[in-house]
Amino acid sequence: PRSFHAARRDMSRLRYSLGLLVLAAQLAAPASAVAGDLAPPIRFLKQEIPTIGTNIPKRVVLTDEGDVPLNRRYDELTPEEKDVVRSRYEAMSPLDEPPYPAAGLVPLFRAISEAQRLVLAQGRLILFADVDAQGRVTAVSVVSSPDPALTRAVANVLVLTPFKPALCSGRPCAMGYPLRLRFTVGL
């Protein structure tokens, strides 16, 4: 059996690696695009490196929350796509907007995908991130989790991810961001 210190050292390395991965993904995210000059929408992410024994990368992240492209920031979403994001919240007025990852979902999901590649958990993970009026995650609450190591890794990724702050009556405010993911291993 592994010692407590070895497990702690491994989690520290995982946290550091994920932090670097999030930072690199955010730096590689496309700069603000001019309207009509957007890249085609990405609806899923594929593995960076295919599984051993194949040259075909598998899909690693699929959206189950409707037709929201992963590679768009909130201000780049269509009104219909914004409605899908807003539908996760109760009673939002027309002047209200939810928090949303500042660089879109791709950097967040790439980092989570890397954590899953290391942990190989199966099951549903539901977290709520408290995002303050400056777009920083101040706390993460766990509703359900398939694996404690994956939960810690995803919570760390959320804390390192800058968000577009929520708007309440047109002004920046604090609000929660729900993250619901299902992890599978294999096909």
Side-chain angles (χ1 to χ4, degrees), residues 28-185:
S32 175
V34 178
D37 205 22
L38 296 174
I42 294 175
R43 306 280 183 215
F44 57 86
L45 293 181
K46 287 188 175 183
Q47 292 172 315
E48 295 285 323
I49 300 169
T51 307
I52 293 176
T54 181
N55 289 328
I56 303 168
K58 294 179 186 173
R59 292 181 181 190
V60 292
V61 174
L62 297 167
T63 60
D64 62 349
E65 301 176 20
D67 203 18
V68 178
L70 302 177
N71 62 330
R72 303 271 167 86
R73 297 184 323 262
Y74 188 80
D75 62 351
E76 296 172 334
L77 298 176
T78 66
E80 295 79 22
E81 293 164 345
K82 287 180 181 180
D83 286 343
V84 170
V85 175
R86 292 166 53 93
S87 70
R88 293 183 266 164
Y89 297 85
E90 292 181 14
M92 291 193 99
S93 78
L95 293 177
D96 295 346
E97 289 183 0
Y100 199 76
L105 295 169
V106 169
L108 178 66
F109 285 173
R110 283 229 189 272
I112 292 171
S113 164
E114 182 62 22
Q116 168 62 358
R117 188 181 68 75
L118 298 172
V119 176
L120 298 176
Q122 292 193 85
R124 198 124 169 95
L125 176 65
I126 302 174
L127 301 174
F128 285 92
D130 295 332
V131 181
D132 67 15
Q134 286 75 43
R136 294 182 304 246
V137 174
T138 58
V140 177
S141 306
V142 181
V143 175
S144 71
S145 168
D147 181 85
L150 181 66
T151 302
R152 283 189 298 276
V154 174
N156 286 328
V157 168
L158 280 170
V159 168
L160 293 171
T161 301
F163 279 75
K164 171 202 87 61
L167 295 179
C168 299
S169 300
R171 291 192 309 240
C173 63
M175 189 181 293
Y177 178 78
L179 183 64
R180 296 175 184 90
L181 302 168
R182 180 177 306 277
F183 295 96
T184 59
V185 176

